[in-house]
Amino acid sequence: MGEEMNDNMINTNGAANSMGDVNHTAEETADSDVKYYTLEEIKAHNMGNDTWLIIHDKVYNITSFLEEHPGGEEVLVEQAGADATESFEDVGHSTDAREMLIQYYIGELHMDDRKKGCAKEEFITTSGDGSRSVISDKNLIIPFALTKYSVS
Ligand code: HEM
């Protein structure tokens, strides 16, 4: 899976992100190939030999990672097929752990199954050369705030 990924996908801001968001996005990874999975589909992958989980609305197939997990296989299998965001954050995983996630990324949780009110806004910008980048809501708030205070 890792072969098709490139450097652009890794968000190096992880350490500075106090929310601990995992910021590699589907928009960053591939053109229009974003795969969306419903909760129903994800729930089916809840076994030790087929383990998917959701962290921050992103879907990971962590089957091959189970044995490598420093926190043990069992805690991951307990979360299999479900949203593990809270437990993942409760542990206070390191930046390294967050960057590891990208290797197992397979897609996004379907919009209809996301918890309302905590969706993270992201905007895609397209520049003249066709390259695209993702701006999160947090990145927008700061420039707006600066503009507000600098004109008064
Ligand atoms: C695929 C997602 C996950 C990855 C890539 C991951 C990765 C890691 C890594 C690299 C560590 C070593 C400490 C660190 O660098 O933070 C760690 C520790 C740990 N993880 Fe995870 N983890 C994941 C999901 C989870 C989940 C969902 C739970 C809880 C249900 C969990 C529970 C723990 C615990 C308890 C430790 C601490 C082990 C210790 O310090 O003895 N992890 N994890």
Side-chain angles (χ1 to χ4, degrees):
M1 194 196 306
E3 315 83 76
E4 65 220 23
M5 298 179 174
N6 59 43
D7 293 346
N8 296 334
M9 294 165 51
I10 298 176
N11 181 313
T12 50
N13 292 335
N17 190 332
S18 60
M19 290 283 290
D21 287 348
V22 182
N23 262 343
H24 45 272
T25 64
E27 292 84 350
E28 282 173 308
T29 55
D31 288 345
S32 53
D33 287 348
V34 185
K35 187 101 175 72
Y36 285 90
Y37 297 98
T38 63
L39 209 47
E40 213 50 43
E41 283 176 278
I42 298 163
K43 274 183 191 163
H45 302 269
N46 62 357
M47 286 155 279
N49 61 354
D50 178 19
T51 315
W52 291 13
L53 48 80
I54 306 162
I55 297 175
H56 291 298
D57 294 336
K58 301 191 188 313
V59 185
Y60 301 95
N61 178 345
I62 55 157
T63 315
S64 64
F65 175 66
L66 293 178
E67 286 179 16
E68 293 168 35
H69 183 224
E73 188 168 338
E74 202 175 311
V75 289
L76 296 183
V77 176
E78 271 169 23
Q79 304 287 324
D83 193 332
T85 307
E86 213 178 309
S87 9
F88 182 81
E89 292 302 346
D90 282 352
V91 171
H93 280 94
S94 66
T95 307
D96 279 356
R98 292 166 196 284
E99 286 176 354
M100 284 169 77
L101 280 176
I102 197 162
Q103 300 169 50
Y104 309 103
Y105 174 84
I106 53 168
E108 302 279 316
L109 177 61
H110 196 283
M111 295 296 172
D112 293 348
D113 289 330
R114 295 187 182 199
K115 292 188 184 109
K116 306 285 179 279
C118 33
K120 184 158 64 75
E121 294 288 338
E122 285 172 344
F123 305 87
I124 306 167
T125 59
T126 310
S127 60
D129 63 3
S131 63
R132 294 188 305 168
S133 52
V134 178
I135 306 171
S136 78
D137 52 351
K138 273 180 241 128
N139 296 344
L140 284 174
I141 289 165
I142 295 166
F144 282 145
L146 289 175
T147 311
K148 185 171 187 295
Y149 289 110
S150 59
V151 289
S152 54

